Amino acid sequence: MGILQEDAVVISPAGNGSDSTVVTVNCPDKTGLGCDLCRIILQFNLSICRGDLTTDGKWCYILFWLVGRPTTRWSLLKKRLLDACPSYFLTTEIEYYRPVIKQPRPPDVFLLKFWCSYDRKGLLHDVTEVLCELELTIKRVKVSTTPDGRVMDLFFVTDPRELLHTKMRQEETINRLRSVLGDTMVSCEIELAGQEVTACSQGSPFLPSAITEETSSLELLDGNQSSSHFSNPVFVSMDNTLSPAHTIVQIECQDHKGLIYDIMRTLKDLNIQISYGRFWANSRGNCEVEFFTMHADGSKIVDLTEQNDLSACLKRELRSPLKVAVGSRGPETELLVANPVELSGRGRPLVFYDITFALESLNAPIFSVEIGRHMICNREWEVYRILLDERDSSCVPRKKIEEGVRNRLMGWDRG
């Protein structure tokens, strides 16, 4: 083939007056590869400002122009992207465009428990940042504060690298936490969570009120709660006349964090294949996308009902990829964020990190956190229920909390 596996991903640093780093992926194709790559890029907190994708169903060539940060670990990004690429040695064994996605074995859940001698501003976000840097996935969090001011935090996490059972990986995690928490950390333990604990880690099966997708927002039926309504126009058009083999899908919308990932996961879950695509964001914050698509069996999308369904689905997902609302749980203020789960079982990365970042920026302390998965309107969602600590007198207005969290999740803040 003339291409080594390590050359399947090439990262060219920004330079020559450009602030974009170019990532080239040249490898065998597989179902959902574009979605998997975009998810990894989003997990590294990077923005795709431009992209180009070509595949013949067996081999693909992808270019991403990424806007990074000074702390971006490019070598680790390359390794993770390589892990997602099929090896060309296995091309004869790959089943392209499979309509059925094999469900992977559920990962082991570990309980990370630590005590701190006292609480402080940003403690939860600092811990979350460390766990994200270690590539650990947070499944649930329980925060407890004793009457004497000490803090006990329980994190239920999984390790995509499948190493957290080893002494070396556990020591790395504990040492990284100790370096951030300093003398405030009294103790820290990591253990494999039993089945009964894992079941509890899914959170309460009861939501405070119904969550629907009727208006592409998270709607709370309690009259005392505010629902999130905002306008994010999305235009979708389809054409079957310009290509003899493909349906061309064109999208114009406001750019947001993870936009290409949201498009890719939507098409992947609908089993729509992309043969060619390009996308770019302009200086005004708008994004234009063009894809040459087809069904898994290679046919065009000609049925008007199917076209309308696809268009409606894309508009819904891009207008409001995450649902955010602030309401009441008794006398306390509760923040709710709903994150769609892919059919593969994976949720959007860095959601809890962005939530804690926004709340710390707003000086809105967290009292408790519940993370659970719920079937809402025949679809699985990862729901974050965060009870805010309002014991001090500096309460942040609910509308400001809602806007601040949404802007951070959508990448519309300046941080």
Side-chain angles (χ1 to χ4, degrees):
M1 300 294 294
I3 299 177
L4 298 176
Q5 175 66 11
E6 58 266 26
D7 294 332
V9 176
V10 177
I11 297 181
S12 304
N16 299 325
S18 172
D19 59 353
S20 301
T21 296
V22 181
V23 175
T24 305
V25 180
N26 187 14
C27 69
D29 199 6
K30 70 173 184 179
T31 301
L33 177 61
C35 176
D36 295 342
L37 297 177
C38 288
R39 188 181 192 280
I40 293 170
I41 290 171
L42 181 58
Q43 195 163 14
F44 277 74
N45 213 8
L46 299 169
S47 299
I48 302 175
C49 60
R50 183 182 165 195
D52 223 306
L53 179 154
T54 303
T55 179
D56 60 1
K58 293 185 178 182
W59 200 272
C60 70
Y61 183 78
I62 303 174
L63 286 171
F64 290 118
W65 283 259
L66 307 181
V67 179
R69 301 169 182 266
T71 57
T72 299
R73 297 172 292 171
W74 295 108
S75 59
L76 183 59
L77 172 64
K78 178 176 179 177
K79 186 177 187 305
R80 296 295 172 259
L81 292 174
L82 279 171
D83 291 342
C85 295
S87 168
Y88 67 83
F89 292 112
L90 304 177
T91 53
T92 57
E93 301 177 14
I94 296 176
E95 297 179 44
Y96 301 101
Y97 298 162
R98 290 178 297 174
V100 179
I101 301 175
K102 184 179 179 180
Q103 294 295 333
R105 180 185 68 86
D108 292 329
V109 178
F110 289 82
L111 172 59
L112 167 63
K113 176 172 61 177
F114 64 89
W115 282 89
C116 289
S117 56
Y118 61 90
D119 198 1
R120 64 168 173 79
K121 178 185 176 183
L123 184 147
L124 189 58
H125 175 68
D126 290 344
V127 173
T128 302
E129 185 172 22
V130 169
L131 298 182
C132 289
E133 290 175 351
L134 290 168
E135 302 176 81
L136 298 177
T137 302
I138 300 171
K139 309 299 290 185
R140 193 186 176 203
V141 180
K142 184 173 179 58
V143 182
S144 302
T145 304
T146 63
D148 61 358
R150 293 200 301 166
V151 176
M152 184 182 75
D153 288 353
L154 303 177
F155 281 78
F156 295 88
V157 300
T158 59
D159 185 4
R161 294 166 58 185
E162 299 184 350
L163 293 173
L164 199 54
H165 64 283
T166 66
K167 183 179 180 181
M168 181 179 296
R169 180 71 160 155
Q170 292 185 9
E171 288 180 347
E172 178 191 19
T173 302
I174 293 173
N175 290 336
R176 289 286 297 276
L177 287 171
R178 184 175 288 111
S179 68
V180 171
L181 301 177
D183 295 337
T184 63
M185 191 173 79
V186 177
S187 65
C188 184
E189 302 174 4
I190 301 176
E191 62 184 27
L192 181 64
Q195 291 185 351
E196 66 282 354
V197 178
T198 303
C200 294
S201 72
Q202 296 303 311
S204 169
F206 303 104
L207 292 175
S209 54
I211 300 176
T212 69
E213 295 182 275
E214 294 178 355
T215 59
S216 72
S217 66
L218 185 147
E219 296 189 359
L220 301 173
L221 299 185
D222 188 337
N224 296 324
Q225 295 176 318
S226 65
S227 60
S228 58
H229 297 282
F230 68 103
S231 177
N232 182 24
V234 179
F235 302 96
V236 179
S237 62
M238 299 185 193
D239 193 296
N240 277 306
T241 63
L242 298 178
S243 171
H246 300 92
T247 298
I248 301 176
V249 178
Q250 294 177 316
I251 304 171
E252 295 182 29
C253 63
Q254 183 177 1
D255 194 13
H256 68 251
K257 181 178 180 179
L259 171 67
I260 305 304
Y261 165 73
D262 289 326
I263 295 175
M264 292 290 192
R265 67 171 172 82
T266 301
L267 296 179
K268 176 185 176 182
D269 287 351
L270 293 174
N271 209 24
I272 300 296
Q273 313 299 335
I274 301 172
S275 297
Y276 171 75
R278 59 180 178 174
F279 35 90
W280 58 93
N282 60 34
S283 58
R284 299 185 301 276
N286 297 320
C287 190
E288 298 180 26
V289 182
E290 184 176 71
F291 285 132
F292 284 62
T293 66
M294 60 183 177
H295 287 300
D297 60 4
S299 63
K300 298 170 69 171
I301 309 171
V302 295
D303 184 82
L304 289 179
T305 300
E306 290 186 7
Q307 290 186 20
N308 291 334
D309 289 344
L310 175 58
S311 176
C313 188
L314 286 169
K315 289 178 181 179
R316 181 176 65 246
E317 296 301 314
L318 299 183
R319 281 183 184 140
S320 181
L322 298 106
K323 321 300 182 184
V324 181
V326 178
S328 298
R329 190 197 298 183
E332 307 297 337
T333 296
E334 183 179 48
L335 167 70
L336 289 100
V337 177
N339 167 36
V341 176
E342 297 177 32
L343 289 183
S344 62
R346 295 182 298 187
R348 187 189 195 94
L350 294 185
V351 172
F352 189 57
Y353 171 85
D354 283 336
I355 292 172
T356 57
F357 184 98
L359 293 177
E360 180 186 0
S361 301
L362 293 168
N363 197 27
I366 295 173
F367 179 73
S368 67
V369 179
E370 293 181 20
I371 305 173
R373 294 198 171 188
H374 303 263
M375 293 301 298
I376 305 166
C377 298
N378 298 318
R379 184 179 182 186
E380 188 175 24
W381 293 78
E382 199 168 58
V383 179
Y384 299 76
R385 297 182 58 184
I386 300 170
L387 201 62
L388 302 181
D389 189 348
E390 298 180 308
R391 288 176 293 180
D392 57 26
S393 57
S394 57
C395 295
V396 184
R398 293 183 176 184
K399 184 177 180 181
K400 187 174 181 180
I401 292 173
E402 185 177 328
E403 291 177 349
V405 171
R406 180 185 299 112
N407 287 341
R408 176 65 190 182
L409 290 168
M410 299 288 283
W412 294 338
D413 61 338
R414 298 182 180 180

